[in-house]
Amino acid sequence: MGGRTVTRRPCRPRFFEAFSVALSTYFEQPFSVAELGSGPGHLAKAVLAQCNVAAYAAVDFSNAMHTIAREHLGQAASAIRFVLADFRESNCAGPIASVDAVITMQAAHEVRHKSRLPALFRQIRDVVRPGGLFLFCDHYAETGSTKNSELFLSSDEQPTLLAEAGFSEVVRLLDEGDMAYTPHSDVD
């Protein structure tokens, strides 16, 4: 399953690398991270291999995805706490507790309407410790795009909504394959 996604979106490994570099550069000490929409474990595998992670929570609404991730990660899965939570619920960030970083890649649109994203971003802001980091990547829709503009934010809406949710230093680091990756430092 995950292999087909990488085949359809060959830029994904560059996003995994960018996330890992951002995390390892930002944090000098071991850090805790929660991945929202962790799926088959591709991002977790890259982050665990390249970063000094003290605790990793993989959050997904599918037990089947957690099973696939455990198989994909092999021994590395023992370092992960797998959390079952649904982005479509109003308190999906509730089971996470306070962490140094929250990361999400190609999952935020699972809330099924972009009008629900501000609430999700505020929940994430509440679990990221002061001085922590939120790394966000998702598809975007532009005028004339085949992507549903009710489901996906435009590339300009992404940083605007993140700033409105209270994140500072909203900077786009990677924009490729109709996906944008933007790191956000939490407001102190």
Side-chain angles (χ1 to χ4, degrees):
M1 173 181 222
R4 289 192 312 257
T5 302
V6 173
T7 301
R8 283 193 327 258
R9 297 205 172 275
C11 60
R12 282 176 58 92
R14 289 187 287 279
F15 283 92
F16 303 152
E17 178 67 19
F19 270 65
S20 299
V21 168
L23 290 166
S24 63
T25 301
Y26 191 82
F27 294 104
E28 294 178 8
Q29 302 294 324
F31 62 94
S32 59
V33 62
E35 180 185 354
L36 301 182
S38 55
H42 294 282
L43 181 56
K45 189 172 194 173
V47 169
L48 289 170
Q50 298 179 45
C51 300
N52 193 356
V53 176
Y56 198 109
V59 182
D60 204 285
F61 65 83
S62 168
N63 269 327
M65 276 297 164
H66 283 325
T67 299
I68 292 167
R70 283 183 183 96
E71 292 171 9
H72 175 74
L73 292 162
Q75 258 325 93
S78 64
I80 295 177
R81 180 172 62 100
F82 291 92
V83 178
L84 192 64
D86 192 334
F87 277 109
R88 296 164 290 194
E89 293 178 4
S90 62
N91 189 24
C92 69
I96 297 172
S98 181
V99 293
D100 298 311
V102 172
I103 60 178
T104 184
M105 183 168 165
Q106 287 184 267
H109 65 270
E110 292 295 338
V111 296
R112 294 296 177 212
H113 197 282
K114 67 182 183 180
S115 66
R116 296 182 184 124
L117 286 170
L120 175 64
F121 291 160
R122 285 190 300 274
Q123 286 180 54
I124 292 168
R125 163 101 180 43
D126 289 345
V127 300
V128 176
R129 292 183 182 127
L133 193 64
F134 174 35
L135 302 178
F136 170 82
C137 175
D138 208 355
H139 300 281
Y140 57 80
E142 298 299 329
T143 304
S145 169
T146 59
K147 291 196 171 65
N148 183 338
S149 63
E150 296 300 314
L151 180 60
F152 297 99
L153 296 170
S154 71
S155 63
D156 290 336
E157 288 173 315
Q158 287 181 349
T160 300
L161 283 182
L162 289 157
E164 288 173 1
F167 292 100
S168 64
E169 301 176 38
V170 178
V171 179
R172 180 164 293 141
L173 288 185
L174 185 59
D175 189 335
E176 187 175 350
D178 294 333
M179 293 190 308
Y181 155 62
T182 310
H184 314 283
S185 177
D186 195 12
V187 177
D188 291 316

Coordinates of all heavy atoms in Angstrom, one line a residue, residues 61-155:
F61 N -6.5 6.9 12.6 CA -7.8 6.4 13.0 C -8.0 5.0 12.5 O -9.1 4.5 12.7 CB -8.9 7.4 12.4 CG -8.9 7.4 10.9 CD1 -9.6 6.5 10.1 CD2 -8.3 8.5 10.2 CE1 -9.7 6.5 8.7 CE2 -8.4 8.5 8.8 CZ -9.0 7.6 8.1
S62 N -7.0 4.3 12.0 CA -7.2 3.0 11.5 C -6.2 2.0 12.1 O -5.0 2.1 12.1 CB -6.9 3.0 9.9 OG -6.7 1.7 9.4
N63 N -6.8 1.0 12.8 CA -6.0 -0.1 13.4 C -5.3 -0.8 12.3 O -4.2 -1.3 12.5 CB -6.9 -1.1 14.2 CG -7.0 -0.7 15.6 OD1 -6.1 -0.1 16.2 ND2 -8.2 -0.9 16.2
A64 N -5.9 -1.0 11.1 CA -5.2 -1.6 10.0 C -3.9 -0.9 9.6 O -2.9 -1.5 9.3 CB -6.2 -1.7 8.8
M65 N -4.0 0.4 9.6 CA -2.8 1.2 9.3 C -1.7 1.0 10.4 O -0.5 0.9 10.1 CB -3.1 2.7 9.1 CG -3.5 3.1 7.8 SD -2.2 2.7 6.6 CE -3.2 2.8 5.1
H66 N -2.1 0.9 11.6 CA -1.2 0.6 12.7 C -0.5 -0.7 12.5 O 0.7 -0.9 12.7 CB -1.8 0.7 14.1 CG -2.1 2.1 14.6 ND1 -1.2 3.2 14.3 CD2 -3.1 2.6 15.3 CE1 -1.7 4.3 14.9 NE2 -2.8 4.0 15.5
T67 N -1.3 -1.7 12.1 CA -0.7 -3.0 11.8 C 0.3 -3.0 10.7 O 1.4 -3.6 10.8 CB -1.9 -4.0 11.5 OG1 -2.8 -4.1 12.6 CG2 -1.3 -5.4 11.2
I68 N -0.1 -2.3 9.6 CA 0.8 -2.2 8.5 C 2.1 -1.4 8.9 O 3.2 -1.8 8.5 CB 0.1 -1.4 7.3 CG1 -1.0 -2.3 6.7 CG2 1.1 -1.0 6.2 CD1 -1.9 -1.6 5.7
A69 N 2.0 -0.4 9.7 CA 3.1 0.4 10.2 C 4.0 -0.5 11.0 O 5.3 -0.5 10.9 CB 2.7 1.6 11.0
R70 N 3.5 -1.3 11.9 CA 4.3 -2.2 12.7 C 5.1 -3.1 11.9 O 6.3 -3.4 12.1 CB 3.4 -3.0 13.7 CG 2.9 -2.2 14.9 CD 2.1 -3.1 15.9 NE 1.6 -2.3 17.0 CZ 0.4 -1.8 17.0 NH1 -0.5 -2.0 16.0 NH2 0.0 -1.1 18.0
E71 N 4.5 -3.7 10.8 CA 5.2 -4.6 9.9 C 6.3 -3.9 9.2 O 7.4 -4.3 9.0 CB 4.2 -5.2 9.0 CG 3.2 -6.2 9.6 CD 2.1 -6.7 8.7 OE1 2.2 -6.4 7.5 OE2 1.2 -7.3 9.2
H72 N 5.9 -2.7 8.7 CA 6.9 -1.9 7.9 C 8.1 -1.4 8.7 O 9.2 -1.4 8.3 CB 6.2 -0.6 7.3 CG 7.1 0.3 6.6 ND1 7.6 0.0 5.3 CD2 7.6 1.5 6.9 CE1 8.4 1.0 5.0 NE2 8.4 1.9 5.9
L73 N 7.8 -1.1 10.0 CA 8.9 -0.6 10.8 C 9.8 -1.6 11.5 O 10.9 -1.4 11.9 CB 8.3 0.3 11.9 CG 7.7 1.6 11.4 CD1 6.7 2.2 12.4 CD2 8.8 2.6 11.0
G74 N 9.2 -2.8 11.5 CA 10.0 -3.9 12.2 C 10.4 -3.6 13.6 O 9.5 -3.2 14.4
Q75 N 11.7 -3.8 14.0 CA 12.2 -3.5 15.3 C 11.9 -2.1 15.8 O 11.7 -1.9 16.9 CB 13.6 -3.8 15.4 CG 14.1 -5.1 16.0 CD 13.3 -5.6 17.2 OE1 12.4 -6.4 17.0 NE2 13.6 -5.2 18.4
A76 N 11.9 -1.1 14.9 CA 11.7 0.3 15.2 C 10.3 0.5 15.8 O 10.1 1.5 16.5 CB 12.0 1.2 14.0
A77 N 9.4 -0.4 15.5 CA 8.0 -0.2 16.0 C 8.0 -0.3 17.5 O 7.1 0.3 18.1 CB 7.1 -1.3 15.4
S78 N 8.9 -0.9 18.1 CA 8.9 -1.0 19.6 C 9.2 0.3 20.3 O 8.9 0.5 21.4 CB 10.0 -2.1 20.0 OG 11.3 -1.6 19.7
A79 N 9.7 1.3 19.5 CA 9.9 2.6 20.1 C 8.7 3.5 19.9 O 8.8 4.7 20.3 CB 11.2 3.2 19.4
I80 N 7.7 3.0 19.3 CA 6.5 3.9 19.0 C 5.3 3.5 19.9 O 5.0 2.3 20.1 CB 6.1 3.8 17.5 CG1 7.3 4.3 16.7 CG2 4.8 4.5 17.2 CD1 7.1 4.1 15.2
R81 N 4.6 4.5 20.3 CA 3.3 4.3 21.0 C 2.2 4.6 19.9 O 2.1 5.7 19.4 CB 3.1 5.3 22.1 CG 1.8 5.1 22.9 CD 1.7 6.0 24.1 NE 1.8 7.4 23.9 CZ 0.8 8.3 23.8 NH1 -0.4 7.8 24.0 NH2 1.0 9.5 23.6
F82 N 1.5 3.5 19.6 CA 0.4 3.6 18.6 C -0.9 4.1 19.2 O -1.3 3.4 20.1 CB 0.3 2.3 17.8 CG 1.5 2.0 17.0 CD1 2.5 1.2 17.5 CD2 1.6 2.4 15.7 CE1 3.6 0.9 16.7 CE2 2.7 2.1 14.9 CZ 3.7 1.4 15.4
V83 N -1.4 5.2 18.7 CA -2.6 5.8 19.3 C -3.7 5.8 18.3 O -3.5 6.2 17.1 CB -2.4 7.2 19.8 CG1 -3.6 7.9 20.3 CG2 -1.2 7.3 20.8
L84 N -4.9 5.2 18.6 CA -6.1 5.2 17.7 C -6.9 6.5 18.0 O -7.4 6.7 19.1 CB -6.9 4.0 18.0 CG -8.0 3.7 17.0 CD1 -7.4 3.4 15.6 CD2 -8.8 2.5 17.4
A85 N -7.0 7.4 17.1 CA -7.7 8.6 17.2 C -8.2 9.1 15.8 O -7.5 8.8 14.8 CB -6.9 9.7 17.9
D86 N -9.3 9.8 15.7 CA -9.9 10.1 14.5 C -9.8 11.7 14.3 O -10.3 12.4 15.1 CB -11.4 9.7 14.5 CG -12.0 9.7 13.1 OD1 -11.6 10.6 12.3 OD2 -12.9 9.0 12.9
F87 N -9.2 12.1 13.2 CA -9.1 13.5 12.8 C -10.5 14.2 12.7 O -10.6 15.4 12.9 CB -8.5 13.7 11.5 CG -7.0 13.7 11.5 CD1 -6.3 12.6 11.0 CD2 -6.3 14.7 12.1 CE1 -4.9 12.6 11.0 CE2 -4.9 14.7 12.1 CZ -4.2 13.7 11.6
R88 N -11.5 13.4 12.4 CA -12.8 14.0 12.2 C -13.6 14.3 13.5 O -14.6 14.9 13.5 CB -13.7 13.1 11.3 CG -13.0 13.0 9.9 CD -13.6 11.8 9.1 NE -13.1 10.6 9.7 CZ -13.1 9.4 9.2 NH1 -13.6 9.3 8.0 NH2 -12.6 8.3 9.7
E89 N -13.0 13.8 14.6 CA -13.6 14.1 15.9 C -13.1 15.4 16.5 O -12.0 15.8 16.1 CB -13.3 13.0 16.9 CG -14.0 11.7 16.5 CD -13.6 10.5 17.4 OE1 -12.9 10.7 18.4 OE2 -14.1 9.4 17.1
S90 N -13.9 16.1 17.3 CA -13.5 17.4 17.7 C -12.3 17.4 18.7 O -11.7 18.4 18.8 CB -14.7 18.0 18.4 OG -15.1 17.3 19.6
N91 N -12.0 16.3 19.3 CA -10.9 16.3 20.2 C -9.8 15.2 19.8 O -9.4 14.5 20.6 CB -11.3 16.1 21.6 CG -10.2 16.3 22.6 OD1 -9.2 17.0 22.3 ND2 -10.3 15.7 23.8
C92 N -9.5 15.2 18.5 CA -8.6 14.2 18.0 C -7.2 14.3 18.6 O -6.4 13.3 18.7 CB -8.5 14.2 16.5 SG -7.7 15.6 15.8
A93 N -6.8 15.5 19.0 CA -5.4 15.7 19.6 C -5.4 15.4 21.1 O -4.4 15.3 21.7 CB -5.0 17.1 19.3
G94 N -6.6 15.1 21.7 CA -6.7 14.8 23.1 C -5.8 13.7 23.6 O -5.2 13.9 24.7
P95 N -5.7 12.6 22.9 CA -4.9 11.5 23.5 C -3.4 11.7 23.4 O -2.6 10.9 23.8 CB -5.2 10.3 22.6 CG -6.3 10.7 21.7 CD -6.4 12.2 21.7
I96 N -2.9 12.9 22.8 CA -1.5 13.1 22.6 C -0.8 13.5 23.8 O 0.4 13.2 24.0 CB -1.3 14.0 21.4 CG1 -1.9 13.5 20.1 CG2 0.2 14.4 21.2 CD1 -1.9 14.4 19.0
A97 N -1.3 14.4 24.6 CA -0.6 15.1 25.7 C 0.3 16.1 25.2 O 0.4 16.3 24.0 CB 0.0 14.1 26.6
S98 N 1.2 16.6 26.0 CA 2.1 17.7 25.6 C 3.4 17.0 24.9 O 3.9 16.1 25.5 CB 2.5 18.5 26.8 OG 3.4 19.5 26.5
V99 N 3.7 17.6 23.8 CA 4.9 17.0 23.1 C 5.8 18.2 22.5 O 5.3 19.3 22.4 CB 4.5 16.1 21.9 CG1 3.9 14.8 22.4 CG2 3.6 16.8 20.9
D100 N 7.0 17.9 22.2 CA 7.9 18.9 21.7 C 7.6 19.3 20.2 O 7.7 20.4 19.8 CB 9.4 18.5 21.8 CG 9.8 18.3 23.2 OD1 9.6 19.2 24.0 OD2 10.4 17.2 23.5
A101 N 7.1 18.3 19.5 CA 6.8 18.4 18.1 C 5.6 17.6 17.6 O 5.4 16.5 18.1 CB 8.0 18.0 17.2
V102 N 4.8 18.2 16.7 CA 3.8 17.5 16.1 C 4.1 17.6 14.6 O 4.5 18.6 14.1 CB 2.4 18.1 16.3 CG1 1.3 17.4 15.5 CG2 2.0 17.9 17.8
I103 N 4.0 16.4 13.9 CA 4.2 16.4 12.5 C 3.0 15.7 11.8 O 2.3 14.8 12.4 CB 5.5 15.6 12.1 CG1 5.5 14.2 12.6 CG2 6.7 16.4 12.7 CD1 6.7 13.3 12.3
T104 N 2.7 16.2 10.6 CA 1.6 15.5 9.8 C 1.9 15.7 8.4 O 2.3 16.8 7.9 CB 0.2 16.1 10.2 OG1 -0.8 15.4 9.5 CG2 0.1 17.6 10.0
M105 N 1.8 14.6 7.6 CA 2.0 14.7 6.2 C 0.9 14.0 5.5 O 0.6 12.8 5.7 CB 3.3 14.0 5.9 CG 3.7 14.0 4.4 SD 5.4 13.5 4.1 CE 5.2 13.3 2.4
Q106 N 0.3 14.7 4.6 CA -0.8 14.2 3.7 C -2.0 13.6 4.5 O -2.5 12.6 4.2 CB -0.3 13.2 2.7 CG 0.5 13.8 1.6 CD 0.9 12.8 0.6 OE1 2.0 12.2 0.7 NE2 0.0 12.5 -0.4
A107 N -2.3 14.2 5.7 CA -3.4 13.7 6.5 C -4.4 14.7 6.9 O -5.5 14.3 7.2 CB -2.7 13.0 7.7
A108 N -4.0 16.0 7.0 CA -4.9 17.0 7.5 C -6.2 17.1 6.7 O -7.3 17.3 7.3 CB -4.3 18.3 7.6
H109 N -6.2 16.8 5.4 CA -7.4 16.9 4.6 C -8.4 15.8 5.0 O -9.6 15.9 4.6 CB -7.1 16.8 3.1 CG -6.5 15.5 2.7 ND1 -5.1 15.3 2.7 CD2 -7.1 14.4 2.3 CE1 -4.9 14.0 2.3 NE2 -6.1 13.5 2.0
E110 N -8.0 14.8 5.8 CA -8.9 13.8 6.2 C -10.1 14.3 7.1 O -11.0 13.6 7.4 CB -8.2 12.7 7.0 CG -7.3 11.9 6.1 CD -8.0 11.1 5.0 OE1 -9.2 10.8 5.1 OE2 -7.3 10.8 4.0
V111 N -10.0 15.6 7.6 CA -11.1 16.1 8.3 C -12.3 16.3 7.4 O -13.4 16.7 7.8 CB -10.7 17.5 9.0 CG1 -9.7 17.2 10.1 CG2 -10.3 18.6 8.1
R112 N -12.1 16.2 6.1 CA -13.1 16.1 5.1 C -13.8 17.5 4.7 O -14.7 17.5 4.0 CB -14.2 15.1 5.4 CG -13.6 13.7 5.3 CD -13.2 13.4 3.9 NE -12.6 12.1 3.9 CZ -11.6 11.8 3.0 NH1 -11.1 12.7 2.2 NH2 -11.1 10.6 3.0
H113 N -13.3 18.5 5.2 CA -13.7 19.9 4.8 C -12.7 20.9 5.4 O -12.4 20.8 6.6 CB -15.1 20.2 5.2 CG -15.7 21.4 4.4 ND1 -15.3 22.7 4.6 CD2 -16.5 21.4 3.3 CE1 -16.0 23.5 3.8 NE2 -16.7 22.7 3.0
K114 N -12.2 21.7 4.5 CA -11.2 22.7 5.0 C -11.7 23.6 6.1 O -10.9 24.1 6.8 CB -10.6 23.4 3.8 CG -11.5 24.4 3.1 CD -10.8 25.1 2.0 CE -11.7 26.1 1.3 NZ -10.9 26.7 0.1
S115 N -13.0 23.8 6.2 CA -13.5 24.6 7.3 C -13.2 24.0 8.7 O -13.3 24.7 9.7 CB -15.0 24.8 7.1 OG -15.7 23.6 7.3
R116 N -12.9 22.7 8.7 CA -12.6 22.1 10.0 C -11.1 22.2 10.4 O -10.7 21.9 11.5 CB -13.0 20.6 10.0 CG -14.5 20.4 9.8 CD -14.9 19.0 9.8 NE -16.3 18.8 9.5 CZ -16.8 18.1 8.5 NH1 -16.0 17.4 7.7 NH2 -18.1 18.0 8.3
L117 N -10.3 22.6 9.5 CA -8.9 22.7 9.7 C -8.5 23.7 10.8 O -7.6 23.4 11.6 CB -8.1 22.9 8.4 CG -8.0 21.7 7.5 CD1 -7.4 22.1 6.2 CD2 -7.1 20.6 8.2
P118 N -9.1 24.9 10.9 CA -8.7 25.8 11.9 C -8.8 25.2 13.3 O -7.9 25.4 14.2 CB -9.6 27.0 11.8 CG -9.9 27.0 10.3 CD -10.0 25.5 9.9
A119 N -9.9 24.5 13.6 CA -10.0 23.8 14.9 C -9.0 22.8 15.1 O -8.4 22.7 16.2 CB -11.4 23.2 15.0
L120 N -8.6 22.0 14.1 CA -7.6 21.0 14.2 C -6.2 21.7 14.5 O -5.5 21.3 15.4 CB -7.4 20.2 12.9 CG -6.3 19.2 12.9 CD1 -6.4 18.1 14.0 CD2 -6.2 18.6 11.5
F121 N -5.9 22.8 13.8 CA -4.7 23.5 14.0 C -4.6 24.1 15.5 O -3.5 24.0 16.1 CB -4.5 24.6 13.0 CG -4.3 24.2 11.6 CD1 -4.5 25.0 10.5 CD2 -3.8 22.9 11.3 CE1 -4.3 24.6 9.2 CE2 -3.6 22.5 10.0 CZ -3.8 23.3 9.0
R122 N -5.7 24.6 16.0 CA -5.7 25.1 17.4 C -5.5 23.9 18.4 O -4.8 24.1 19.3 CB -7.0 25.8 17.7 CG -7.1 27.2 17.0 CD -8.3 28.0 17.5 NE -9.6 27.4 17.2 CZ -10.3 27.5 16.1 NH1 -9.8 28.2 15.1 NH2 -11.4 26.9 15.9
Q123 N -6.1 22.8 18.1 CA -5.8 21.6 19.0 C -4.4 21.2 19.0 O -3.8 21.0 20.0 CB -6.6 20.4 18.5 CG -8.1 20.5 18.8 CD -8.8 19.2 18.3 OE1 -8.4 18.1 18.6 NE2 -9.8 19.4 17.4
I124 N -3.8 21.2 17.8 CA -2.3 20.9 17.7 C -1.5 22.0 18.4 O -0.6 21.6 19.2 CB -1.9 20.8 16.2 CG1 -2.6 19.6 15.6 CG2 -0.4 20.7 16.1 CD1 -2.5 19.5 14.1
R125 N -1.9 23.2 18.2 CA -1.1 24.3 18.9 C -1.2 24.1 20.4 O -0.2 24.3 21.1 CB -1.8 25.6 18.6 CG -1.4 26.8 19.5 CD -0.4 27.7 19.0 NE 0.1 28.8 19.8 CZ 0.3 28.8 21.1 NH1 0.1 27.8 21.9 NH2 0.8 29.9 21.6
D126 N -2.3 23.6 21.0 CA -2.4 23.4 22.4 C -1.6 22.2 22.9 O -1.3 22.2 24.1 CB -3.9 23.1 22.8 CG -4.7 24.4 22.6 OD1 -4.1 25.5 22.5 OD2 -6.0 24.3 22.6
V127 N -1.2 21.3 22.1 CA -0.4 20.2 22.6 C 1.1 20.3 22.3 O 1.9 19.6 22.9 CB -0.8 18.8 22.0 CG1 -2.3 18.5 22.4 CG2 -0.6 18.7 20.5
V128 N 1.5 21.3 21.4 CA 2.9 21.6 21.2 C 3.4 22.4 22.3 O 2.9 23.5 22.6 CB 3.1 22.3 19.9 CG1 4.6 22.6 19.7 CG2 2.7 21.4 18.7
R129 N 4.5 22.0 23.0 CA 5.1 22.7 24.1 C 5.6 24.1 23.6 O 6.0 24.2 22.5 CB 6.2 22.0 24.7 CG 5.7 20.7 25.5 CD 6.9 20.0 26.1 NE 6.3 18.8 26.8 CZ 6.8 17.6 26.6 NH1 7.9 17.4 25.8 NH2 6.3 16.5 27.2
P130 N 5.6 25.1 24.5 CA 6.2 26.4 24.1 C 7.6 26.2 23.5 O 8.4 25.5 24.1 CB 6.1 27.2 25.4 CG 5.0 26.6 26.2 CD 5.0 25.1 25.8
G131 N 7.8 26.8 22.4 CA 9.2 26.7 21.8 C 9.3 25.4 21.0 O 10.3 25.2 20.4
G132 N 8.2 24.7 20.9 CA 8.2 23.4 20.1 C 7.9 23.7 18.6 O 8.0 24.9 18.2
L133 N 7.7 22.6 17.9 CA 7.6 22.7 16.4 C 6.4 22.0 15.9 O 6.1 20.9 16.4 CB 8.9 22.2 15.9 CG 9.2 22.4 14.4 CD1 9.5 23.9 14.1 CD2 10.5 21.6 14.0
F134 N 5.7 22.5 14.9 CA 4.7 21.8 14.2 C 5.1 21.8 12.7 O 5.3 22.9 12.1 CB 3.4 22.6 14.3 CG 2.2 22.0 13.5 CD1 2.1 20.7 13.2 CD2 1.3 22.9 13.0 CE1 1.0 20.2 12.5 CE2 0.2 22.4 12.3 CZ 0.1 21.1 12.0
L135 N 5.2 20.6 12.2 CA 5.6 20.5 10.8 C 4.4 19.9 10.0 O 3.9 18.9 10.3 CB 6.8 19.5 10.6 CG 8.1 19.9 11.4 CD1 9.1 18.8 11.1 CD2 8.6 21.3 10.9
F136 N 4.0 20.7 9.0 CA 2.7 20.4 8.3 C 3.0 20.3 6.8 O 3.7 21.1 6.2 CB 1.7 21.6 8.5 CG 0.5 21.6 7.7 CD1 -0.6 20.8 8.1 CD2 0.4 22.3 6.5 CE1 -1.7 20.8 7.3 CE2 -0.7 22.3 5.7 CZ -1.8 21.5 6.1
C137 N 2.4 19.2 6.2 CA 2.5 19.0 4.8 C 1.2 18.4 4.4 O 0.7 17.5 5.0 CB 3.6 18.1 4.4 SG 3.7 17.6 2.7
D138 N 0.6 19.0 3.3 CA -0.6 18.4 2.8 C -0.7 18.9 1.3 O -0.1 19.8 0.9 CB -1.9 18.8 3.5 CG -3.0 17.8 3.5 OD1 -2.9 16.8 2.7 OD2 -4.0 18.0 4.1
H139 N -1.6 18.2 0.6 CA -1.9 18.6 -0.8 C -2.6 20.0 -0.7 O -3.1 20.4 0.3 CB -3.0 17.6 -1.4 CG -2.5 16.2 -1.5 ND1 -1.6 15.8 -2.4 CD2 -2.7 15.2 -0.7 CE1 -1.3 14.5 -2.2 NE2 -2.0 14.1 -1.2
Y140 N -2.6 20.7 -1.8 CA -3.3 21.9 -1.9 C -4.1 22.0 -3.2 O -3.7 21.3 -4.2 CB -2.4 23.2 -1.7 CG -1.3 23.3 -2.7 CD1 -1.4 23.8 -4.0 CD2 0.0 22.9 -2.2 CE1 -0.3 23.9 -4.8 CE2 1.1 23.1 -3.1 CZ 0.9 23.5 -4.4 OH 2.0 23.7 -5.2
A141 N -5.1 22.8 -3.2 CA -5.9 23.0 -4.4 C -5.8 24.4 -4.9 O -5.7 25.3 -4.2 CB -7.4 22.7 -4.1
E142 N -5.6 24.5 -6.2 CA -5.5 25.8 -6.9 C -6.6 26.0 -7.9 O -7.2 25.0 -8.3 CB -4.1 26.0 -7.5 CG -2.9 26.0 -6.5 CD -3.0 27.0 -5.5 OE1 -3.5 28.1 -5.7 OE2 -2.5 26.8 -4.4
T143 N -6.8 27.2 -8.4 CA -7.8 27.4 -9.4 C -7.5 26.5 -10.6 O -6.3 26.5 -11.0 CB -7.9 28.9 -9.8 OG1 -8.1 29.7 -8.6 CG2 -8.9 29.2 -10.8
G144 N -8.4 25.8 -11.1 CA -8.2 24.9 -12.3 C -7.7 23.6 -11.9 O -7.5 22.7 -12.7
S145 N -7.4 23.3 -10.6 CA -6.9 22.1 -10.1 C -8.0 21.0 -10.1 O -9.2 21.4 -10.0 CB -6.3 22.2 -8.7 OG -6.1 21.0 -8.1
T146 N -7.7 19.8 -10.2 CA -8.6 18.7 -10.1 C -9.0 18.4 -8.6 O -9.9 17.7 -8.3 CB -8.1 17.4 -10.8 OG1 -6.9 17.0 -10.1 CG2 -8.0 17.6 -12.3
K147 N -8.2 19.0 -7.7 CA -8.4 18.7 -6.3 C -9.7 19.5 -5.8 O -9.9 20.7 -6.2 CB -7.2 19.1 -5.5 CG -6.1 18.1 -5.7 CD -5.0 18.3 -4.6 CE -4.0 17.2 -4.7 NZ -3.2 17.2 -5.9
N148 N -10.4 19.0 -5.0 CA -11.7 19.6 -4.5 C -11.3 20.8 -3.6 O -10.7 20.6 -2.5 CB -12.5 18.5 -3.7 CG -13.8 19.1 -3.2 OD1 -14.0 20.3 -3.0 ND2 -14.7 18.1 -2.9
S149 N -11.7 22.0 -3.9 CA -11.3 23.2 -3.2 C -12.1 23.3 -1.9 O -11.8 24.1 -1.0 CB -11.6 24.4 -4.0 OG -13.0 24.5 -4.3
E150 N -13.1 22.4 -1.6 CA -13.8 22.4 -0.3 C -13.0 21.4 0.6 O -13.2 21.6 1.8 CB -15.2 21.9 -0.5 CG -16.1 22.8 -1.3 CD -16.2 24.2 -0.7 OE1 -16.4 24.3 0.5 OE2 -16.0 25.2 -1.5
L151 N -12.2 20.5 0.1 CA -11.5 19.6 0.9 C -10.1 20.1 1.2 O -9.6 20.0 2.3 CB -11.4 18.2 0.2 CG -10.7 17.1 0.8 CD1 -11.3 16.7 2.1 CD2 -10.7 15.9 -0.1
F152 N -9.4 20.7 0.2 CA -8.0 21.1 0.3 C -7.9 22.6 0.4 O -8.6 23.3 -0.3 CB -7.2 20.6 -0.8 CG -7.1 19.1 -1.0 CD1 -8.0 18.4 -1.8 CD2 -6.2 18.4 -0.2 CE1 -7.9 17.1 -2.0 CE2 -6.2 17.0 -0.3 CZ -7.0 16.3 -1.2
L153 N -7.0 23.1 1.2 CA -6.7 24.5 1.3 C -5.9 24.9 0.0 O -5.3 24.0 -0.6 CB -5.8 24.8 2.5 CG -6.4 24.6 3.9 CD1 -5.3 24.8 4.9 CD2 -7.5 25.6 4.1
S154 N -5.9 26.1 -0.4 CA -5.0 26.6 -1.4 C -3.7 26.7 -0.8 O -3.5 26.7 0.4 CB -5.5 27.9 -2.0 OG -5.3 28.9 -1.1
S155 N -2.6 26.9 -1.7 CA -1.3 27.0 -1.1 C -1.2 28.3 -0.3 O -0.4 28.4 0.6 CB -0.2 26.9 -2.3 OG -0.4 28.0 -3.1

